[in-house]
Amino acid sequence: MKEVRECCCHHPETKEELYEALNQVLDKYERKESNLIQILHMTQAIFGYLPEDVLKYIAEEMDLPLSKIFGVVTFYSLFSTQPKGRHTIQVCMGTACYVKGADKVLNEILDKLGIKLGETTKDGRFSVQVMRCIGACGLAPAISIDGDILKHVTVNMVDDILKRYE
Amino acid sequence: MSQTIAIKSYEDLLNVKERYINRHKQYEYTILVCSGASCISSNCLNVKNALEAELEKAGMRDKVLLKQTGCVGFCDVGPIVIVEPDGVFYCKLKPEDMEMLVQRHLVGKEIVEELCFLDNKSGERVPYVRDIDFFKEQLKIVFAKCGVIDYSDIDEYIATDGYKAIYKALTEMTPDEVIEEVGKAGLRGRGGGGFPTAFKWRAARQAQGDQKYVICNADEGDPGAFMDRSLLEGDPHAVIEGIMIAGYAVGADKCIVYVRAEYPLAVERLTAAIEKAREYGLLGENIFNTAFNYDIEIRIGAGAFVCGEETALINSVEGKRGEPRQKPPYPAEAGLFGKPTVINNVETFGNIAPIILKGSEWFAKVGTEKSNGTKVFALAGDISNTGIVEVPIGTPLRKVVENIGGGVPNKKAFKAAQIGGPSGGCIPSELFEIPLDYNNLTEIGAMMGSGGLIVLDENTCMVDIAKFFLEFTVDESCGKCTPCRVGTRRLYELLEKITEGKGTMEDIDKLEELCYHIKENSLCGLGQSAPNPVLSTLKFFRDEYVAHVDKKQCPAGICKSLLSYVILEDKCTGCTLCSRVCPVGCISGSVKQPHKINQDVCIKCGACFERCKFSAIVRK
Amino acid sequence: MGNVNIKINGTPVSVPEGTTILEAARKLGIEIPTLCFLKEINEIGACRICVVEVKGARNLVASCVQKVTEGMEVFTHTPKVQKSRKLTLELILSTHDKQCLSCVRSGSCELQMLCQEFGVDDEQYYEGHNPQYYNDDSTVHLVRDNNKCILCRRCVAACQAQNVNVIGTNSRGFNTHIGCAFERDLGDVACVSCGQCIVNCPTGALTEKDDTEKVWEALADPTKHVIVHTAPSIRVTLGESFGMKIGTNVKGKMINALRRIGFEKVFDTDVTADLTIVEEAHELLDRINNGGKLPLITSCSPGWIKFCEHFYPELIPHLSTCKSPQQMFGAIAKTWYAQQEGIDPKDIFVVSIMPCTAKKFEAKRSGQAASGYPDIDVALTTRELVRMINRASIRFKDLPDDGEFDNPIGLSTGAGAIFGATGGVMEAALRTAAEWLEGKPIENVEYTEVRGIKGIKEAIYKIAGMEVKVAVASGLKNATILMDKIKKGEAGYHFIEIMACPGGCVNGGGQPVQHAVVRNFVDLVARRAKALYEEDRHLPLRKSHDNPAIKALYDEFLGSPGSHKAHEILHTHYVARQIY
Ligand SMILES: Cc1cc2nc3c(=O)[nH]c(=O)nc-3n(C[C@H](O)[C@H](O)[C@H](O)COP(=O)(O)O)c2cc1C
Ligand code: SF4
Ligand code: SF4
Ligand code: SF4
Ligand code: SF4
Ligand code: SF4
Ligand code: SF4
Ligand code: SF4
Ligand code: SF4
Ligand code: FES
Ligand code: FES
Ligand code: FES
C-alpha cells in the first residue's frame, strides 16, 4: 500500500548500543521529571517496549522512584511493559468507526489470529490493540498497522490484509 | 526555496508577500493536492507523483504550480485535486487518472467530467467547488486557509496576511486591549466547555507570577473528531499565531502544545512550522523588535483521553499520571508547575488571528446572539459526505446533515445525531431543526463538545450507543475518584444487563439515579459528563430502553441477545448457502428443502442472514 | 491574610482566608466525614465522601479540598448530601470484600463506621464485577489485602512522606490498584517495614502480620519459660484501644494484663534502653576520642536501619553497632538472665511488645542471636497485644493500676522512658555522655532543644569545654535531608538520632490506629509523647548509667561498657542492600 520507508538511522542492535541510545535521550531531555513521558516514548521506540531493567536504569538516572515511573507507565495505554509482535494492529473503536462496524472487524481479526485483545500471536507476528479514534473518522472503519492507516475495512478484507505482513 | 530573512517590521512582512507573488506570477495553473492525513491514507502522494510525471511529460512543469495542502474537508472522496484558477474539483483519483487530467484539462482546457464529484442525490457530476453542496453552505474562518495554502510554506501564509495579527497586537495594542477585543468578539472556547476565552485570559493576566504559560490543547480525545488535527496539519501557522497573541495578552513567554500521540503527521508539520517561524524570527526574542519573547514546545501524549482535561493535561506535561486535580485553583491561577497558565483548544487559537485582524465587530456578526463565530464539526457516521465542515454557530442541524452532509445514505432514515462525544448527548429527529449553539445543546442535555458530530440512522440501537460510550468512559476514567471509577463501571454493567434482556424496570430507575450521582459527585469533567450519553438517550429514547426490558426486544435489531434469526419456510429454496457459512453449523435441511436454524446453538453472527439471496432469513 | 465570612447550615462563621470548608465546619463542631483526606500529605479529593452542598454550585463540592470564599453558603447534611454519601459508600462496597466478621479492623475501620453512620442498608446495592487480588504476605511485618482497599491512597502518601516510595498507584480506571513497581511483592522491594502505611490505612487492607498465635502456643507449652517485655511507648498508647484518653499512662494495668494472659515474667524494655544508652554513649566517646567515624548515628530504630541499608549503604560505618533495646533485651534474657535463673536459653521464649512493625523484621535479622538462639522469639505490636488481651477476656479498663515490672530487668530510669519520643534517645545519651565527660554529676538533665515534634532539631552543647553538635530527625524524609548533608560533608555533627516514624515510636507503625480525623486535627504525637516526659519527670532515677540493674549487669556479667563481652552480646552488624 504505502511505499517502503527507507530507514536512514542506524538501528541499534547490541545492548550497549541500545543503552547508548537511551543515554542520548536522557541527555537530550536533561533527566527532568517533567520530560518523563517523552523519555518513555523514546525508550519504547528504542527497546520496542519498556523492560524492567531499563526502567530501573531510568529511575536511577532520573532519581525518581521506580514505583512512580511504573505508575506512569501503567496509566497511559500506549506504554507497554511486554514485548510486542513484529506488527501492531490498532483497530479504531472510536465512535465513527464503531457505528460503521469496527467491532465486527476487530472480532474477525482476533478470530483469524486466534488471540485475545492486547495479546500477541504465538509466532510473534501480530499484536492487536484497540484505539479510540486514530483521526481517520472520515475513512471509517479504519485500522492502523505499524502506523499505516487502512480505510473502510470490511470483515472480508481482513484475511488479505493479514497476509500482507510477515 | 525561500531565502531566510529575519522579520522585524511590517515592511518585512510585505516584502515576503511581494516576493511570494513575484515568484508565482509565472504559473498559469495552480493545482492543489489535498495532503491531509485522510487523503494520505488514500494514497494521494502517489497521485501527486503521477501528476508531476505527467506534467513533466506534457512539458508544463513550469506553468503549473503543484501545491500540497491540508485537508480540504471532504476526506471521504479523497484523493482530491483542485485545479485553480478554474475551481474544478476532482476526487477519488487514482495515479493512472493523471494522464487524462493533464491532457484534457490543462492541455485541452476541458473539464474531465468522469473525475468530478458525483452527487449522490442528483446523480450528476458537479465540477466546480462553488457548486458542490458540501462546500456551498459552509463559512470558513478558522479553516479559511486550510486546504488552500501550502501548509509547509510560511511565505504563503504571510502572503495571505499571516502574522499580521500578531504584528498588530504587538505594535498597536496593549495586552488588555487584545483581551478586550477577544472579549467583544464573544469568542467561547471550542474545546468543549464553551468558556469565554477572554475571561480566562484576563484571569491569567491578573494572576501574580514571574513565569506564565500558554498551553495549546491538541489532545482531541473525542473519538470521532478530527478538526484540531486537520487544522494543525493544514494551517499550523494559524495556530502558532493565535498562540502567540495569547502569550502576549497574558504575559507568557512559553507555550506548550500537547498533541495526542496518535497524530504523528500533525506533530511533524507543526514542528516544521515552528522551526520556520523561529528561522524567520517570528518566534524567539524581541519579536518584531518589541520586548515580546516567545517560544513553543511540543509534548506528545501517551494514550489517555482524560489528558484532554486541562488539569490532567498539566499533570501529564509535568511527567505524572494524567489524573485531574481539584479545581479551584484554576490553571489561570495555579497551572503548569504551579504558575498561571492559559489553556485553550487548537480551534480556539485558530480564531484569534482573524479576530485581531478583522476586528471583533466583524466576528460578532457571525453566529447567534449568545455564541459568535463559526464552529467546525467533524461529520461522520451514517452520512454521505463525511469530513470537516465549518458553519456559523446556530446553523440548524438539518442543514448540516442534509445540505452539507448529503443526508443519510442507503435510503435510510435519520434517527439521531450524537454530538459532543462521550460527554455529549443525542439529538433526536424531532429536534432536527435545532440551531447548533452552546445554549440550545446544553438545554436538551447534549453539548457542543469539541465538535464530533456522528449521524445515526434508523438501524441504530440507542441503548447500544449509550453502552458504547460508557465502555469508552470506563476505559478512560483515570480511576482517582470513587463515583467515576466504580460508578461508570456499574452504569456500564446495568446497560449491559439491559441489552442482554436481563434488565428490570427498577434497573432503569437505578440507572438514572446512578447517572445523577456520578454527575454531581465526580471530581472532574470526565465523570461529571460521562452519564450524558445515557441520560440523553433515556430522555429521548426511553421507549427503547423499556422495549429491551419489558418486551425483551431490541427495536433496531442490534443487541445480539435479544435477536433471533429465523428461516421463513415459504421463502427458503433450500439452496444450502446459509448452512455452508454458518460458523457453528446450526442450520440443518436437505437440498431443495426448507432449512431450519437451531436457536439453542446459533451465536447470532448474522452470516446466514447476509448470505441468503432469497430474503428467506429474517432477523427478529 | 484576611478573614472570610461564610455560613454553614445557616450559622455564620468567620475563618481565615485559605481555610477549607472541612476546617471551617469543625469550628462549628460539625465533623464532616472523610476517607481519603490526610492533612498536608494526601489532599487529593478522591473519595468524595466529604461532599457538601454549596449554594449556587452546579455540583456537590468536596469539602476537604475546597477553600471557603466570601459569602459562601454551605450545607453539610441535606438529604441530597446524605444520599450521595450513602451511594458513594455503596459503590465502594461493590468492590470490597465485605468480611467484617473476620476482619481485624472491625470496630476500628473507618469504612465500616461510615456505613453505619450513613445508613447503608444494602451492601449488595450495586452488584457487579469485583476484581480479585491476591494477598501479599511476602514480608514478615505486613499483609496487603487489596480486596479491602478503597483506593484512598493514604498508604501511598504515607510511604512517600517516608521517602521510601515502594508502593504506588498502578494502572488506571476500574483497574487502578495499589502495588509495587512491576507488581512485585512488597518483600521483593525496598520496603523498610516502618508500618506507616498501616496506621494510615482506614480499612483492613493493610494489617500487621499477626503473630499472636505463636505466643498462645508458647504460653500453652509447659517446657517454655515465656517472658515478655514492653517498649517505652506502649504504656502511653495501649489505653487508647480501650477507649481511654490519648496520652494516658496505663503501665500498671498493662503489667497486670500481661500477667493475666500468662507470661511468666513481665519486664521493661526501658531497662535495656538504658543499657543501649550506656553502650552507645561509650561508643560515641570512643569515636570522639579515638578519631572514629563521626557523626555517630543511632541504631535503635530498625525502620531507619533498613532504610539506611537500602538507600545510604555508604553511610553504614556511621551507624552505631549497638543492638536496639529490643534485641539487647533478648540477648541479656537468654544469657545473663538464663544463667541467673538456671534456665537453658533454648527454653526461654521472649516476646516483645513493640510500637513497631519493623521490630518483626529486626527480630529475624542475622547477627541477632547472642545465645545461639534468636534473641527475640516473637515481636508483637501494640495492636496485637490488644487482641491478646481481648482474647483472654480481660476487661482492661477494670484492671487495678498496681502492676509492677519484675526484676532484674524491671527497674528503669527516666532516660529509658523517653526513648519512645523523638529526641528521647539523644537526650538520654547526652545525660550520660555529659556526666562521663565532665566527670561529675550533672544537675539539669533536661535537654529541651531536642524535644518536640519538629522534623529536624539541631543543637550544640558545651560539655567539658567541648562543643558537641547534635541533630535529631524523625520521619525518613527528614532523615534523608540529614544524610544528604553528611554525604556532602556539610554536617559536622557528632551525634545524630534518627527515628523512622514521624514523631518517633509514639507514632510507630504498630501503634493503635486512630481515625484520620484524629490524625488530621489532634496532635497525636505530642499528646502521647507528653505522657512519656511526664513519666521521666516522676522517676527517681533519670540517667541510664545510674540504673542499678545496669550496674549489676556490668559488674556481674559484662565487665565494662564496650568490653569484648559487651560487643559479643550487645552489638551487631549491617548489610548493604539494593534499592531494587
Ligand atoms: C474528559 C475531558 C476531555 C477533554 N478533552 C479535550 C480535548 O481533547 N481537547 C480540548 O481542547 N479540550 C478538551 N477538554 C476541555 C479542556 O479541559 C479545556 O476546557 C479546554 O482545553 C479549554 O480550551 P477552550 O477554552 O479553548 O475550549 C476536555 C475536558 C474533559 C473534562
Ligand atoms: S471523574 Fe473520573 S476521570 Fe475525573 S478524576 Fe474522577 S475518576 Fe478521574
Ligand atoms: S440461504 Fe436462504 S434460501 Fe438458501 S437455504 Fe438458506 S435460508 Fe434457504
Ligand atoms: S446467525 Fe450465525 S450462528 Fe446463527 S444460524 Fe446464522 S450463521 Fe449460524
Ligand atoms: S475493612 Fe472495614 S468494612 Fe471491610 S471487612 Fe474490614 S472492617 Fe469490614
Ligand atoms: S453485626 Fe449483624 S451481621 Fe454482624 S455479626 Fe452481628 S448480627 Fe451478624
Ligand atoms: S511499611 Fe513503610 S516502607 Fe513499607 S510500604 Fe509501608 S510505609 Fe512504605
Ligand atoms: S491500602 Fe488502605 S490506605 Fe492504601 S489505598 Fe487502600 S485503603 Fe487506602
Ligand atoms: S521509630 Fe520506633 S516504631 Fe518507628 S520503626 Fe523506629 S523503632 Fe519502630
Ligand atoms: S473514530 Fe475511528 S478514526 Fe476516528
Ligand atoms: S484529508 Fe483530504 S479532504 Fe480531508
Ligand atoms: S474527597 Fe474529601 S475526604 Fe476524600
Side-chain angles (χ1 to χ4, degrees):
Chain A
M1 285 212 56
K2 195 168 167 182
E3 72 272 52
V4 184
R5 248 174 296 159
E6 279 293 310
C7 182
C8 55
C9 61
H10 163 62
H11 198 79
E13 292 298 341
T14 67
K15 198 175 162 191
E16 287 72 33
E17 281 175 311
L18 292 170
Y19 272 85
E20 178 50 35
L22 173 57
N23 281 333
Q24 279 170 15
V25 169
L26 289 168
D27 288 344
K28 177 172 171 209
Y29 289 103
E30 298 169 28
R31 294 171 170 70
K32 272 201 236 155
E33 179 179 359
S34 59
N35 289 328
L36 179 61
I37 314 260
Q38 314 303 310
I39 291 172
L40 292 173
H41 267 307
M42 307 291 282
T43 309
Q44 184 154 297
I46 295 170
F47 291 88
Y49 68 112
L50 297 170
E52 184 168 356
D53 284 341
V54 173
L55 289 188
K56 280 177 183 169
Y57 180 77
I58 293 178
E60 252 165 58
E61 287 288 315
M62 294 181 71
D63 198 17
L64 282 175
L66 185 64
S67 64
K68 207 166 188 172
I69 295 181
F70 189 73
V72 169
V73 166
T74 53
F75 185 88
Y76 295 97
S77 61
L78 290 180
F79 294 139
S80 167
T81 54
Q82 300 298 323
K84 276 187 280 199
R86 288 195 295 285
H87 307 289
T88 304
I89 305 179
Q90 298 174 319
V91 180
C92 178
M93 282 282 273
T95 322
C97 291
Y98 180 75
V99 303
K100 294 272 190 171
D103 53 336
K104 297 201 183 81
V105 173
L106 173 66
N107 287 336
E108 179 72 10
I109 293 175
L110 294 175
D111 271 3
K112 282 260 145 58
L113 297 178
I115 54 173
K116 287 205 207 77
L117 194 59
E119 291 179 351
T120 301
T121 51
K122 280 215 183 66
D123 57 5
R125 200 153 69 105
F126 290 109
S127 305
V128 182
Q129 296 172 345
V130 158
M131 302 283 275
R132 300 295 186 169
C133 192
I134 49 180
C137 321
L139 311 173
I143 70 173
S144 144
I145 303 187
D146 301 339
D148 295 345
I149 292 179
L150 312 185
K151 60 177 179 171
H152 300 310
V153 179
T154 62
V155 171
N156 299 333
M157 289 160 69
V158 168
D159 218 18
D160 274 349
I161 293 174
L162 295 179
K163 277 192 193 130
R164 275 187 241 141
Y165 295 82
E166 241 334 289
Chain B
M1 203 168 113
S2 57
Q3 89 228 40
T4 306
I5 45 158
I7 295 185
K8 284 292 170 194
S9 66
Y10 192 68
E11 282 64 49
D12 292 343
L13 284 175
L14 290 181
N15 286 340
V16 173
K17 182 172 181 170
E18 216 179 282
R19 188 177 71 193
Y20 178 83
I21 292 170
N22 283 337
R23 198 157 7 106
H24 292 79
K25 266 189 197 148
Q26 51 165 322
Y27 297 120
E28 204 173 310
Y29 287 103
T30 303
I31 297 187
L32 313 180
V33 182
C34 178
S35 309
S38 289
C39 284
I40 291 203
S41 321
S42 311
N43 278 323
C44 69
L45 292 181
N46 290 351
V47 169
K48 190 198 141 208
N49 292 342
L51 185 55
E52 239 167 353
E54 289 301 328
L55 287 174
E56 201 71 55
K57 251 203 281 179
M60 295 188 74
R61 198 64 192 83
D62 48 358
K63 290 213 185 91
V64 179
L65 171 66
L66 207 54
K67 231 162 58 171
Q68 271 182 253
T69 71
C71 174
V72 174
F74 211 165
C75 312
D76 198 31
V77 297
I80 292 167
V81 149
I82 297 174
V83 181
E84 297 286 11
D86 304 350
V88 176
F89 184 86
Y90 294 113
C91 57
K92 298 200 174 173
L93 298 173
K94 289 189 254 351
E96 52 275 25
D97 296 334
M98 289 306 104
E99 183 177 358
M100 186 155 69
L101 191 140
V102 171
Q103 289 307 326
R104 282 169 55 188
H105 191 137
L106 303 183
V107 180
K109 313 273 180 215
E110 65 163 309
I111 288 171
V112 192
E113 275 279 327
E114 52 269 56
L115 298 180
C116 289
F117 171 67
L118 177 67
D119 188 278
N120 274 334
K121 261 189 275 178
S122 62
E124 284 171 20
R125 300 271 175 190
V126 191
Y128 295 104
V129 176
R130 59 176 183 272
D131 294 333
I132 297 175
D133 287 343
F134 181 80
F135 295 108
K136 217 161 57 180
E137 311 269 2
Q138 295 192 48
L139 173 72
K140 296 197 175 185
I141 293 178
V142 178
F143 275 68
K145 297 185 202 172
C146 181
V148 177
I149 67 170
D150 179 343
Y151 54 82
S152 65
D153 186 356
I154 188 170
D155 287 4
E156 184 169 12
Y157 180 72
I158 293 173
T160 50
D161 291 342
Y163 289 110
K164 259 194 199 168
I166 178 68
Y167 173 78
K168 180 176 172 189
L170 287 176
T171 57
E172 295 170 24
M173 300 167 87
T174 63
D176 288 315
E177 281 166 358
V178 171
I179 296 175
E180 185 87 342
E181 197 63 25
V182 172
K184 276 196 291 192
L187 176 64
R188 297 172 66 167
R190 302 293 194 241
F195 195 76
T197 303
F199 261 64
K200 264 194 214 175
W201 289 18
R202 198 164 291 126
R205 168 145 192 81
Q206 283 160 4
Q208 301 293 321
D210 46 344
Q211 167 81 58
K212 293 180 188 177
Y213 293 102
V214 170
I215 292 180
C216 172
N217 189 342
D219 197 47
E220 193 156 66
D222 172 0
F226 49 109
M227 47 278 148
D228 292 350
R229 156 191 178 142
S230 299
L231 188 60
L232 286 172
E233 288 170 358
D235 195 5
H237 289 287
V239 182
I240 295 176
E241 193 175 357
I243 285 171
M244 290 174 72
I245 296 170
Y248 173 65
V250 304
D253 62 3
K254 180 148 192 188
C255 171
I256 282 164
V257 185
Y258 187 89
V259 193
R260 66 194 311 229
E262 292 87 339
Y263 288 179
L265 193 63
V267 172
E268 190 183 310
R269 294 187 183 170
L270 182 62
T271 309
I274 290 171
E275 268 162 26
K276 263 281 170 248
R278 272 193 209 128
E279 223 176 89
Y280 274 45
L282 291 164
L283 287 173
E285 303 207 330
N286 302 107
I287 297 166
F288 283 113
N289 272 336
T290 66
F292 182 57
N293 306 331
Y294 206 62
D295 211 351
I296 299 176
E297 189 185 320
I298 298 178
R299 293 301 192 89
I300 298 167
F305 168 66
V306 69
C307 286
E309 198 280 338
E310 50 196 21
T311 57
L313 188 156
I314 287 173
N315 273 338
S316 184
V317 173
E318 291 180 3
K320 303 179 183 140
R321 289 165 63 87
E323 290 170 348
R325 304 175 183 171
Q326 171 74 22
K327 286 190 282 191
Y330 291 96
E333 308 150 43
L336 186 61
F337 303 117
K339 309 289 185 196
T341 303
V342 155
I343 302 192
N344 280 118
N345 166 259
V346 172
E347 187 186 334
T348 312
F349 283 121
N351 277 289
I352 302 296
I355 289 175
I356 297 299
L357 205 57
K358 300 192 186 162
S360 54
E361 246 169 74
W362 162 81
F363 187 83
K365 273 194 211 118
V366 184
T368 62
E369 210 173 297
K370 283 198 177 127
S371 321
N372 296 342
T374 58
K375 179 76 195 89
V376 184
F377 293 102
L379 265 184
D382 302 317
I383 188 156
S384 298
N385 310 335
T386 55
I388 299 280
V389 304
E390 181 172 359
V391 292
I393 293 183
T395 303
L397 173 64
R398 178 194 292 280
K399 198 167 163 186
V400 175
V401 172
E402 297 212 319
N403 300 17
I404 300 175
V408 177
N410 306 329
K411 302 211 173 65
K412 297 216 174 118
F414 170 88
K415 181 168 191 176
Q418 209 286 341
I419 188 165
S423 319
C426 289
I427 311 175
S429 54
E430 305 96 271
L431 296 174
F432 210 13
E433 301 297 340
I434 191 172
L436 298 171
D437 77 9
Y438 289 95
N439 301 23
N440 282 330
L441 290 174
T442 315
E443 229 160 79
I444 63 158
M447 69 189 265
M448 187 82 99
S450 53
L453 191 60
I454 311 279
V455 176
L456 306 169
D457 70 16
E458 54 189 308
N459 287 3
T460 316
C461 169
M462 298 313 280
V463 187
D464 179 67
I465 283 292
K467 191 176 84 176
F468 165 77
F469 279 111
L470 255 300
E471 189 188 353
F472 177 86
T473 24
V474 170
D475 253 18
E476 297 295 336
S477 156
C478 85
K480 183 172 174 184
C481 71
T482 320
C484 172
R485 180 186 64 243
V486 190
T488 53
R489 171 82 195 208
R490 298 295 172 244
L491 263 191
Y492 173 78
E493 285 166 350
L494 280 167
L495 289 169
E496 198 173 40
K497 195 171 161 197
I498 291 170
T499 55
E500 282 172 358
K502 297 179 194 147
T504 62
M505 290 308 275
E506 290 78 55
D507 285 334
I508 298 184
D509 295 338
K510 207 165 171 178
L511 193 70
E512 223 165 350
E513 177 190 61
L514 184 53
C515 280
Y516 286 111
H517 179 70
I518 297 171
K519 264 179 99 67
E520 285 165 356
N521 287 274
S522 290
L523 188 152
C524 86
L526 189 149
Q528 287 160 11
S529 61
N532 287 354
V534 183
L535 284 171
S536 93
T537 47
L538 263 177
K539 181 168 168 184
F540 296 116
F541 300 95
R542 199 179 187 95
D543 52 328
E544 279 191 36
Y545 282 83
V546 174
H548 282 77
V549 167
D550 223 20
K551 305 207 196 89
K552 308 290 175 210
Q553 270 178 8
C554 173
I558 293 293
C559 298
K560 271 193 184 174
S561 319
L562 300 179
L563 288 184
S564 52
Y565 289 91
V566 181
I567 296 176
L568 302 174
E569 249 181 68
D570 50 333
K571 282 200 172 175
C572 175
T573 64
C575 72
T576 74
L577 266 181
C578 58
S579 72
R580 275 186 266 155
V581 294
C582 176
V584 290
C586 69
I587 306 181
S588 57
S590 355
V591 190
K592 299 209 175 139
Q593 293 299 313
H595 281 47
K596 207 172 158 39
I597 295 174
N598 181 349
Q599 297 296 340
D600 296 338
V601 183
C602 168
I603 56 166
K604 295 160 192 176
C605 68
C608 55
F609 176 78
E610 275 170 25
R611 204 51 178 266
C612 178
K613 291 182 193 143
F614 305 93
S615 307
I617 304 183
V618 289
R619 183 159 65 188
K620 285 205 219 167
Chain C
M1 260 198 222
N3 263 17
V4 176
N5 300 296
I6 64 166
K7 271 191 191 160
I8 299 180
N9 304 335
T11 312
V13 56
S14 177
V15 291
E17 213 176 293
T19 308
T20 59
I21 296 176
L22 182 80
E23 287 168 313
R26 279 186 65 82
K27 259 195 123 170
L28 295 179
I30 299 166
E31 195 98 83
I32 299 173
T34 60
L35 268 177
C36 66
F37 179 70
L38 276 185
K39 207 170 167 182
E40 273 152 31
I41 70 166
N42 202 44
E43 302 184 346
I44 60 172
C47 71
R48 313 311 274 185
I49 279 299
C50 66
V51 290
V52 294
E53 260 187 272
V54 172
K55 202 169 159 187
R58 195 160 37 114
N59 293 320
L60 294 170
V61 159
S63 61
C64 66
V65 280
Q66 177 84 49
K67 306 240 159 77
V68 295
T69 52
E70 186 60 38
M72 190 183 246
E73 286 185 51
V74 178
F75 302 91
T76 62
H77 53 263
T78 59
K80 184 174 180 168
V81 168
Q82 294 188 40
K83 185 171 172 209
S84 275
R85 292 184 187 154
K86 181 176 160 196
L87 286 183
T88 298
L89 288 166
E90 280 164 342
L91 283 173
I92 292 176
L93 290 182
S94 75
T95 58
H96 190 84
D97 266 15
K98 300 168 278 281
Q99 295 170 336
C100 296
L101 284 181
S102 57
C103 181
V104 291
R105 283 299 297 270
S106 192
S108 70
C109 169
E110 294 180 38
L111 174 63
Q112 189 188 45
M113 185 191 78
L114 288 175
C115 286
Q116 295 270 314
E117 275 178 16
F118 288 92
V120 169
D121 46 13
D122 184 359
E123 296 167 5
Q124 253 53 274
Y125 189 66
Y126 291 113
E127 61 204 307
H129 177 60
N130 179 10
Q132 290 300 305
Y133 296 93
Y134 77 106
N135 264 15
D136 180 355
D137 58 359
S138 56
T139 64
V140 296
H141 66 285
L142 71 68
V143 182
R144 165 185 300 287
D145 181 358
N146 267 350
N147 301 312
K148 287 181 185 161
C149 173
I150 60 166
L151 289 172
C152 65
R153 307 194 188 180
R154 279 158 55 171
C155 55
V156 176
C159 195
Q160 192 180 342
Q162 286 288 58
N163 238 358
V164 178
N165 291 307
V166 285
I167 46 175
T169 316
N170 293 348
S171 299
R172 75 159 183 233
F174 194 69
N175 299 324
T176 309
H177 59 277
I178 306 297
C180 303
F182 286 88
E183 310 296 353
R184 291 201 173 276
D185 285 342
L186 207 51
D188 244 12
V189 299
C191 164
V192 304
S193 61
C194 66
Q196 284 302 311
C197 51
I198 303 177
V199 283
N200 281 296
C201 177
T203 71
L206 287 172
T207 49
E208 62 288 328
K209 195 173 260 180
D210 191 306
D211 289 315
T212 53
E213 218 48 61
K214 292 178 198 155
V215 179
W216 289 119
E217 261 170 41
L219 285 168
D221 183 343
T223 66
K224 293 276 183 231
H225 178 76
V226 187
I227 61 176
V228 66
H229 65 127
T230 65
S233 60
I234 311 299
R235 65 208 68 175
V236 300
T237 59
L238 180 63
E240 291 169 24
S241 297
F242 301 99
M244 297 162 90
K245 254 177 52 189
I246 296 169
T248 311
N249 190 329
V250 295
K251 183 169 156 187
K253 287 190 198 309
M254 173 183 78
I255 296 167
N256 280 327
L258 290 165
R259 290 198 199 291
R260 286 180 178 43
I261 286 172
F263 290 104
E264 212 126 335
K265 289 279 171 58
V266 181
F267 292 126
D268 193 354
T269 323
D270 288 19
V271 179
T272 44
D274 280 336
L275 181 58
T276 306
I277 287 303
V278 170
E279 277 298 312
E280 211 162 66
H282 179 270
E283 188 180 3
L284 175 65
L285 297 186
D286 183 57
R287 290 201 192 189
I288 290 177
N289 295 332
N290 301 321
K293 234 343 170 231
L294 287 176
L296 174 71
I297 309 176
T298 57
S299 57
C300 46
S301 167
W304 147 244
I305 291 297
K306 192 158 189 267
F307 181 80
C308 184
E309 290 175 328
H310 280 297
F311 297 92
Y312 291 95
E314 65 278 27
L315 296 184
I316 285 176
H318 288 271
L319 294 176
S320 161
T321 56
C322 292
K323 285 183 181 172
S324 73
Q326 154 168 285
Q327 297 304 130
M328 284 201 183
F329 178 89
I332 293 302
K334 291 193 181 179
T335 54
W336 182 51
Y337 171 78
Q339 228 174 56
Q340 276 193 333
E341 300 288 307
I343 309 175
D344 185 339
K346 87 170 190 326
D347 294 330
I348 300 183
F349 193 89
V350 184
V351 177
S352 328
I353 310 296
M354 293 286 133
C356 184
T357 44
K359 292 285 176 194
K360 288 182 187 287
F361 173 79
E362 183 182 49
K364 299 247 167 354
R365 289 182 66 109
S366 70
Q368 306 279 5
S371 60
Y373 300 97
D375 293 340
I376 298 296
D377 293 286
V378 171
L380 297 182
T381 60
T382 318
R383 295 189 294 270
E384 288 166 279
L385 172 59
V386 172
R387 236 166 276 153
M388 289 193 72
I389 292 173
N390 287 334
R391 186 88 61 88
S393 312
I394 294 164
R395 284 200 305 192
F396 188 81
K397 261 178 130 171
D398 295 343
L399 289 174
D401 286 317
D402 59 358
E404 293 282 352
F405 285 113
D406 287 309
N407 276 324
I409 323 176
L411 178 71
S412 80
T413 69
I418 59 176
F419 247 68
T422 163
V425 178
M426 175 61 67
E427 184 168 349
L430 285 170
R431 287 178 190 177
T432 293
E435 207 160 293
W436 284 354
L437 275 171
E438 299 275 357
K440 59 172 195 252
I442 288 188
E443 277 311 303
N444 181 17
V445 296
E446 300 202 345
Y447 294 80
T448 48
E449 295 77 6
V450 292
R451 293 186 181 180
I453 53 160
K454 235 176 82 190
I456 295 183
K457 294 163 282 191
E458 292 174 292
I460 299 177
Y461 292 107
K462 237 192 161 81
I463 302 172
M466 179 183 150
E467 283 201 337
V468 179
K469 204 173 163 198
V470 302
V472 171
S474 79
L476 293 171
K477 194 165 244 170
N478 295 314
T480 313
I481 296 172
L482 286 184
M483 291 313 112
D484 287 341
K485 265 182 148 179
I486 295 178
K487 271 172 72 174
K488 279 195 219 132
E490 291 167 6
Y493 305 110
H494 294 96
F495 191 37
I496 296 179
E497 174 207 300
I498 294 189
M499 290 291 159
C501 299
C505 302
V506 281
N507 188 29
Q511 296 286 26
V513 286
Q514 285 289 355
H515 285 188
V517 57
V518 176
R519 295 195 158 268
N520 288 332
F521 297 110
V522 175
D523 199 337
L524 187 63
V525 173
R527 287 205 194 173
R528 287 173 174 172
K530 193 164 161 248
L532 288 179
Y533 285 106
E534 244 352 69
E535 186 179 8
D536 169 37
R537 234 161 19 104
H538 291 109
L539 281 171
L541 296 175
R542 300 182 68 187
K543 300 169 203 156
S544 300
H545 55 278
D546 289 348
N547 189 335
I550 301 293
K551 285 184 179 156
L553 175 63
Y554 278 107
D555 289 349
E556 294 169 21
F557 188 61
L558 294 172
S560 61
S563 70
H564 181 71
K565 188 152 189 189
H567 264 275
E568 268 183 355
I569 293 177
L570 303 180
H571 289 248
T572 185
H573 59 264
Y574 309 106
V575 289
R577 296 174 200 269
Q578 310 243 294
I579 299 183
Y580 308 117

